[in-house]
Every structure is written in C-alpha cells, then in structure tokens.
Amino acid sequence: KVREMAAREVRWAGTGLEDAELVVVAYGTAARIASTAVDRARAAGLKVGLFRPITLFPFPTRELRALTTRAKGFLVVELSMGQMVEDVQLAVLGAAPVAFYGRTGGSVPVPSEIVTAIERLARAVSATDDLDWGPDPTTLIELPGEAAISVDEAEADPDPLSLIDEGAWWAREHEVVTR
C-alpha cells in the first residue's frame, strides 16, 4: 500500500534544475525565501536550482535522486533543526554532500543569508572537485547541541555552514574514514 501511495501521491516542484550543479531543497515558507535566494545566486553566475517537496510523506526520493547525476552538492534549507535532512541524505545516497541551513524560534532567514550558504557550499565542492567523496559525504551537517546554541542574537553565528570553509570539512572528515 505504501508503494502504491508513494507512486500516486508524491508531489514536488522545481526551478532551475535543468543545469543545476547545486540544489537547494526547501519546503513551505523556507522554499519561498530560498526561491529568491536561488534567483539571486543564478544572477551571480552560480548554477543552482530549487527542489521543493510538496509532499513530505511520501517524500519525492526518486525524483531527488535523479538529480545526483549532475548535482555536486545539496543544501537543505528549513525553519527547523533539520528534520528533512535525513530524507535528502537517503535520497542522495552519498553521491554528493548534503549541507544544512536552518533557523528556529520564529527567526526567518533573509535571502542573502541563504545565498551566502549556497556560495559556501559552491566553494566547498569546487575545492574538492577532483576528490572522491568517500563513503560518507553527509558529514557536512553538524548541528550544535543545545548548550552550543546561543540565544543572544549579537553572539549568534548567523551561518551554520561556517564550519565549511574552502572544503576544509572534507579534508578533516576524509582523514578519519577507513577505506
């Protein structure tokens, strides 16, 4: 029954995916904001597209997986702590890194913040373009523990992807991966 429902009920929309090397995955309000960010990033010359799941169950796994033939990286944008990240990881199956940008507590990101996250992901994947991702490229995602989350906006890091700088995350993670 689940397979029948998935075939019949799965829904999604996309823009700019025809030539996208980076794919932003977002739904709901975050997708509206991400759409503007994708438009701005494309205007700046980045080949980025937006994949917008309309149904989260069943998740459009097959449709997202089809993008891994040309996408070099995926950025999940949510107004949460990453509940959709695992769905994207399972769809991508390690073919490309999956990064996360999220906001919680009613704080809504502006498009420029998402553009910055897209640019950082673009730098990270281009810095490691010639390298094999290894068995687990999903280590781009590092969610802070509750103790590490700052409630003071002046102290808060507005970019959870700040750990990804010029591909350094990959080099660190790749050293500990056993082949």
Side-chain angles (χ1 to χ4, degrees):
K1 288 183 179 183
V2 173
R3 284 190 197 121
E4 289 175 24
M5 183 179 80
R8 188 178 60 246
E9 301 294 328
V10 69
R11 294 183 180 199
W12 67 280
T15 57
L17 296 172
E18 310 78 34
D19 65 342
E21 294 178 358
L22 302 173
V23 176
V24 175
V25 183
Y27 68 94
T29 302
R32 297 287 301 232
I33 301 163
S35 177
T36 300
V38 166
D39 290 344
R40 290 180 184 175
R42 284 188 79 82
L46 290 172
K47 291 185 177 181
V48 60
L50 175 66
F51 184 92
R52 183 175 64 91
I54 297 170
T55 57
L56 295 180
F57 183 81
F59 191 77
T61 300
R62 186 176 329 136
E63 294 78 4
L64 188 57
R65 185 172 298 141
L67 298 174
T68 62
T69 59
R70 71 181 159 279
K72 296 179 181 180
F74 292 81
L75 174 66
V76 179
V77 177
E78 294 184 73
L79 298 180
S80 66
M81 290 301 290
Q83 283 80 345
M84 187 174 58
V85 171
E86 188 175 357
D87 293 313
V88 175
Q89 289 174 329
L90 291 170
V92 170
L93 290 175
V98 176
F100 171 73
Y101 185 87
R103 287 290 191 87
T104 59
S107 176
V108 179
V110 294
S112 61
E113 294 170 336
I114 298 171
V115 170
T116 299
I118 293 168
E119 290 168 342
R120 284 182 179 225
L121 179 60
R123 283 194 309 272
V125 297
S126 69
T128 58
D129 222 7
D130 58 337
L131 302 174
D132 177 17
W133 285 109
D136 186 14
T138 59
T139 53
L140 268 164
I141 302 163
E142 292 193 29
L143 298 177
E146 284 185 33
I149 298 173
S150 174
V151 291
D152 181 5
E153 283 296 318
E155 293 178 16
D157 180 359
D159 185 4
L161 295 177
S162 61
L163 297 173
I164 305 169
D165 200 8
E166 300 300 327
W169 60 269
W170 185 88
R172 279 195 311 275
E173 291 299 321
H174 195 62
E175 289 174 359
V176 297
V177 173
T178 333
R179 293 211 181 245

